[in-house]
Amino acid sequence: MGGHGYMGTSFDLYEKLSQCGITTYSLSPFEQKPFAGVSRAMIFNTSRRVSAQIPYIGVAFGIGYGIYTWANARHEYLLSKAGHAEAAGH
């Protein structure tokens, strides 16, 4: 794999250090800390994505709330004496 002439992959997960007559191996920094900065990135990415969706959610919530309040007011009106008279066609 890779043709580097030493043990390892093309992604250099293991890097061979050459010393006189001694063969040592070390892990790459990406292999040592696979979750470095994940929690910080998670917080900022989540807040950025949520804030980008607020306009869409806000419009949908506003329309839904408007329909809900209109329907409740209409229902209360139809339960009243005037509402009964209108529904009966008098």
Side-chain angles (χ1 to χ4, degrees):
M1 266 198 246
H4 293 290
Y6 56 83
M7 182 178 158
T9 65
S10 60
F11 298 107
D12 293 330
L13 295 177
Y14 297 101
E15 180 181 342
K16 181 179 178 181
L17 302 175
S18 61
Q19 295 179 0
C20 187
I22 300 173
T23 302
T24 58
Y25 297 93
S26 68
L27 291 173
S28 74
F30 299 107
E31 194 69 23
Q32 291 176 3
K33 298 179 183 179
F35 294 108
V38 168
S39 60
R40 181 178 181 273
M42 179 178 61
I43 292 168
F44 288 114
N45 283 340
T46 302
S47 63
R48 178 182 53 83
R49 289 180 178 186
V50 168
S51 64
Q53 295 299 317
I54 286 176
Y56 304 107
I57 295 170
V59 169
F61 180 77
I63 291 171
Y65 184 73
I67 291 171
Y68 175 76
T69 54
W70 171 81
N72 277 341
R74 179 73 176 159
H75 178 69
E76 289 296 322
Y77 171 73
L78 291 176
L79 290 179
S80 69
K81 190 173 185 179
H84 282 293
E86 177 188 332
H90 296 222

